[in-house]
Short mmCIF file of all heavy atoms in Angstrom, two decimals:
data_model
loop_
_atom_site.label_atom_id
_atom_site.label_comp_id
_atom_site.label_asym_id
_atom_site.label_seq_id
_atom_site.Cartn_x
_atom_site.Cartn_y
_atom_site.Cartn_z
N ASP A 287 -1.28 14.05 3.37
CA ASP A 287 -2.36 14.94 2.94
C ASP A 287 -2.14 16.32 3.56
O ASP A 287 -2.78 16.68 4.55
CB ASP A 287 -3.70 14.34 3.41
CG ASP A 287 -4.91 14.93 2.69
OD1 ASP A 287 -4.74 15.40 1.55
OD2 ASP A 287 -6.02 14.88 3.26
N THR A 288 -1.23 17.08 2.96
CA THR A 288 -0.91 18.40 3.50
C THR A 288 -0.12 19.19 2.46
O THR A 288 0.47 18.61 1.55
CB THR A 288 -0.05 18.28 4.79
OG1 THR A 288 0.14 19.59 5.34
CG2 THR A 288 1.32 17.69 4.52
N THR A 307 -0.74 14.63 -1.29
CA THR A 307 -1.98 15.18 -1.86
C THR A 307 -2.20 16.56 -1.25
O THR A 307 -2.00 16.77 -0.05
CB THR A 307 -3.20 14.29 -1.57
OG1 THR A 307 -3.24 13.96 -0.18
CG2 THR A 307 -3.17 13.02 -2.39
N THR A 308 -2.58 17.47 -2.11
CA THR A 308 -2.93 18.81 -1.65
C THR A 308 -4.33 19.12 -2.19
O THR A 308 -4.85 18.39 -3.03
CB THR A 308 -1.96 19.87 -2.21
OG1 THR A 308 -2.05 19.87 -3.63
CG2 THR A 308 -0.52 19.59 -1.79
N ASN A 309 -4.91 20.16 -1.69
CA ASN A 309 -6.14 20.68 -2.27
C ASN A 309 -6.17 22.18 -1.98
O ASN A 309 -5.32 22.68 -1.22
CB ASN A 309 -7.38 19.93 -1.73
CG ASN A 309 -7.55 20.05 -0.23
OD1 ASN A 309 -7.35 21.13 0.33
ND2 ASN A 309 -7.91 18.96 0.43
N SER A 311 -7.94 23.98 -0.11
CA SER A 311 -8.08 24.31 1.31
C SER A 311 -6.75 24.13 2.03
O SER A 311 -6.37 24.95 2.88
CB SER A 311 -9.15 23.42 1.97
OG SER A 311 -10.38 23.58 1.31
N LEU A 312 -6.03 23.04 1.71
CA LEU A 312 -4.74 22.78 2.37
C LEU A 312 -3.71 23.83 1.96
O LEU A 312 -2.87 24.24 2.78
CB LEU A 312 -4.24 21.37 2.01
CG LEU A 312 -5.06 20.21 2.58
CD1 LEU A 312 -4.60 18.88 1.99
CD2 LEU A 312 -4.97 20.17 4.10
N GLU A 342 -4.33 20.29 -7.67
CA GLU A 342 -5.75 20.36 -8.05
C GLU A 342 -6.05 21.53 -8.98
O GLU A 342 -5.59 22.65 -8.75
CB GLU A 342 -6.59 20.45 -6.77
CG GLU A 342 -8.08 20.33 -7.04
CD GLU A 342 -8.86 19.88 -5.80
OE1 GLU A 342 -8.24 19.33 -4.87
OE2 GLU A 342 -10.07 20.08 -5.78
N LYS A 368 -5.20 16.75 -10.18
CA LYS A 368 -6.37 16.40 -9.37
C LYS A 368 -7.60 17.11 -9.93
O LYS A 368 -7.60 18.34 -10.08
CB LYS A 368 -6.09 16.84 -7.93
CG LYS A 368 -6.89 16.11 -6.88
CD LYS A 368 -6.34 16.44 -5.49
CE LYS A 368 -7.09 15.74 -4.40
NZ LYS A 368 -6.67 16.21 -3.06
N ASN A 390 -6.01 12.28 -10.55
CA ASN A 390 -6.59 11.86 -9.28
C ASN A 390 -7.98 12.47 -9.23
O ASN A 390 -8.13 13.69 -9.13
CB ASN A 390 -5.71 12.37 -8.13
CG ASN A 390 -6.32 12.16 -6.76
OD1 ASN A 390 -7.42 11.62 -6.64
ND2 ASN A 390 -5.61 12.59 -5.73
N THR A 392 -11.04 13.54 -7.45
CA THR A 392 -11.27 13.84 -6.04
C THR A 392 -12.75 14.08 -5.74
O THR A 392 -13.56 14.23 -6.65
CB THR A 392 -10.41 15.05 -5.62
OG1 THR A 392 -10.47 15.19 -4.20
CG2 THR A 392 -10.87 16.34 -6.28
N LEU A 393 -13.06 14.09 -4.45
CA LEU A 393 -14.43 14.30 -3.97
C LEU A 393 -15.36 13.16 -4.40
O LEU A 393 -16.48 13.38 -4.86
CB LEU A 393 -14.97 15.66 -4.43
CG LEU A 393 -14.29 16.88 -3.77
CD1 LEU A 393 -14.58 18.17 -4.53
CD2 LEU A 393 -14.73 17.04 -2.31
N PHE A 395 -17.72 10.22 -3.35
CA PHE A 395 -18.54 9.84 -2.20
C PHE A 395 -19.47 8.66 -2.49
O PHE A 395 -20.27 8.28 -1.63
CB PHE A 395 -19.36 11.05 -1.71
CG PHE A 395 -18.50 12.13 -1.11
CD1 PHE A 395 -18.07 13.21 -1.86
CD2 PHE A 395 -18.06 12.03 0.21
CE1 PHE A 395 -17.24 14.19 -1.31
CE2 PHE A 395 -17.24 13.00 0.77
CZ PHE A 395 -16.83 14.08 0.01
N SER A 412 -10.26 9.22 -5.35
CA SER A 412 -10.13 9.56 -3.93
C SER A 412 -11.48 9.55 -3.22
O SER A 412 -12.18 10.58 -3.16
CB SER A 412 -9.50 10.96 -3.78
OG SER A 412 -8.14 10.92 -4.11
N PRO A 413 -11.89 8.41 -2.67
CA PRO A 413 -13.08 8.41 -1.80
C PRO A 413 -12.74 9.05 -0.47
O PRO A 413 -11.71 8.74 0.14
CB PRO A 413 -13.40 6.92 -1.63
CG PRO A 413 -12.18 6.17 -2.04
CD PRO A 413 -11.32 7.07 -2.87
N PHE A 414 -13.61 9.96 -0.01
CA PHE A 414 -13.38 10.73 1.23
C PHE A 414 -14.07 10.02 2.39
O PHE A 414 -15.21 10.32 2.72
CB PHE A 414 -13.96 12.14 1.08
CG PHE A 414 -13.08 13.12 0.35
CD1 PHE A 414 -12.17 12.72 -0.62
CD2 PHE A 414 -13.17 14.48 0.63
CE1 PHE A 414 -11.37 13.64 -1.28
CE2 PHE A 414 -12.37 15.41 -0.02
CZ PHE A 414 -11.47 15.00 -0.98
N LEU A 415 -13.38 9.10 3.02
CA LEU A 415 -14.10 8.28 4.00
C LEU A 415 -14.41 9.02 5.30
O LEU A 415 -15.47 8.80 5.89
CB LEU A 415 -13.39 6.94 4.24
CG LEU A 415 -12.01 6.88 4.83
CD1 LEU A 415 -12.09 6.50 6.28
CD2 LEU A 415 -11.23 5.82 4.08
N GLY A 416 -13.54 9.88 5.75
CA GLY A 416 -13.80 10.62 6.99
C GLY A 416 -15.03 11.50 6.88
O GLY A 416 -15.83 11.60 7.81
N ARG A 417 -15.15 12.16 5.73
CA ARG A 417 -16.31 13.07 5.58
C ARG A 417 -17.62 12.28 5.50
O ARG A 417 -18.68 12.81 5.88
CB ARG A 417 -16.14 13.94 4.32
CG ARG A 417 -15.02 14.95 4.48
CD ARG A 417 -15.03 16.01 3.41
NE ARG A 417 -13.77 16.75 3.42
CZ ARG A 417 -13.50 17.79 2.67
NH1 ARG A 417 -14.41 18.25 1.83
NH2 ARG A 417 -12.33 18.40 2.74
N LEU A 418 -17.57 11.04 5.00
CA LEU A 418 -18.77 10.19 5.04
C LEU A 418 -19.07 9.78 6.48
O LEU A 418 -20.21 9.86 6.94
CB LEU A 418 -18.58 8.94 4.16
CG LEU A 418 -18.75 9.18 2.67
CD1 LEU A 418 -18.30 7.97 1.87
CD2 LEU A 418 -20.19 9.53 2.32
N ASP A 420 -18.39 11.42 9.03
CA ASP A 420 -18.88 12.62 9.72
C ASP A 420 -20.40 12.78 9.59
O ASP A 420 -21.02 13.42 10.44
CB ASP A 420 -18.21 13.89 9.15
CG ASP A 420 -16.74 13.98 9.51
OD1 ASP A 420 -16.30 13.24 10.41
OD2 ASP A 420 -16.04 14.81 8.89
N LEU A 446 -7.44 5.52 -3.77
CA LEU A 446 -6.65 6.39 -2.89
C LEU A 446 -7.57 6.84 -1.75
O LEU A 446 -8.34 7.80 -1.92
CB LEU A 446 -6.14 7.59 -3.71
CG LEU A 446 -5.01 8.47 -3.22
CD1 LEU A 446 -4.68 9.54 -4.26
CD2 LEU A 446 -5.24 9.09 -1.88
N ALA A 447 -7.54 6.13 -0.66
CA ALA A 447 -8.44 6.45 0.45
C ALA A 447 -8.02 7.78 1.07
O ALA A 447 -6.89 7.93 1.55
CB ALA A 447 -8.40 5.33 1.49
N ALA A 448 -8.96 8.74 1.05
CA ALA A 448 -8.66 10.10 1.51
C ALA A 448 -9.57 10.48 2.67
O ALA A 448 -10.45 9.70 3.05
CB ALA A 448 -8.82 11.08 0.36
N SER A 449 -9.32 11.67 3.20
CA SER A 449 -10.09 12.15 4.35
C SER A 449 -9.97 11.15 5.50
O SER A 449 -10.96 10.79 6.14
CB SER A 449 -11.56 12.38 3.93
OG SER A 449 -12.30 12.97 4.96
N ILE A 450 -8.74 10.73 5.72
CA ILE A 450 -8.42 9.77 6.79
C ILE A 450 -8.31 10.55 8.10
O ILE A 450 -7.66 11.59 8.15
CB ILE A 450 -7.07 9.09 6.47
CG1 ILE A 450 -7.18 8.28 5.18
CG2 ILE A 450 -6.53 8.33 7.67
CD1 ILE A 450 -7.37 6.83 5.31
N ARG A 451 -8.92 10.01 9.15
CA ARG A 451 -8.95 10.74 10.42
C ARG A 451 -7.95 10.22 11.46
O ARG A 451 -7.64 10.91 12.42
CB ARG A 451 -10.35 10.68 11.02
CG ARG A 451 -11.42 11.30 10.15
CD ARG A 451 -11.42 12.82 10.27
NE ARG A 451 -12.59 13.38 9.63
CZ ARG A 451 -12.58 14.08 8.51
NH1 ARG A 451 -11.44 14.33 7.90
NH2 ARG A 451 -13.70 14.57 8.01
N THR A 468 -4.05 8.47 1.89
CA THR A 468 -3.46 9.78 2.13
C THR A 468 -3.96 10.27 3.47
O THR A 468 -5.17 10.24 3.74
CB THR A 468 -3.73 10.79 1.00
OG1 THR A 468 -2.92 11.95 1.25
CG2 THR A 468 -5.19 11.19 0.87
N ALA A 469 -3.04 10.69 4.33
CA ALA A 469 -3.41 11.02 5.70
C ALA A 469 -2.54 12.14 6.23
O ALA A 469 -1.42 12.35 5.76
CB ALA A 469 -3.24 9.77 6.58
N PRO A 470 -3.05 12.84 7.26
CA PRO A 470 -2.21 13.84 7.92
C PRO A 470 -1.03 13.14 8.60
O PRO A 470 -1.12 11.94 8.93
CB PRO A 470 -3.14 14.45 8.98
CG PRO A 470 -4.52 14.02 8.62
CD PRO A 470 -4.40 12.76 7.84
O1 G3P B 204 -7.21 15.90 0.39
C1 G3P B 204 -8.52 15.49 0.40
C2 G3P B 204 -9.03 14.92 1.70
O2 G3P B 204 -8.11 14.02 2.22
C3 G3P B 204 -9.55 15.93 2.67
O3 G3P B 204 -9.66 15.43 3.95
O4 G3P B 204 -9.81 15.90 6.36
O5 G3P B 204 -10.53 17.67 4.73
O6 G3P B 204 -11.89 15.61 5.06
P1 G3P B 204 -10.54 16.20 5.08
#
Side-chain angles (χ1 to χ4, degrees):
D287 197 25
T288 185
T307 50
T308 62
N309 61 42
S311 302
L312 292 171
E342 188 157 341
K368 203 169 180 187
N390 172 0
T392 190
L393 291 164
F395 292 96
S412 288
F414 278 29
L415 64 102
R417 291 193 194 184
L418 282 170
D420 290 346
L446 197 178
S449 186
I450 297 260
R451 299 281 191 250
T468 189

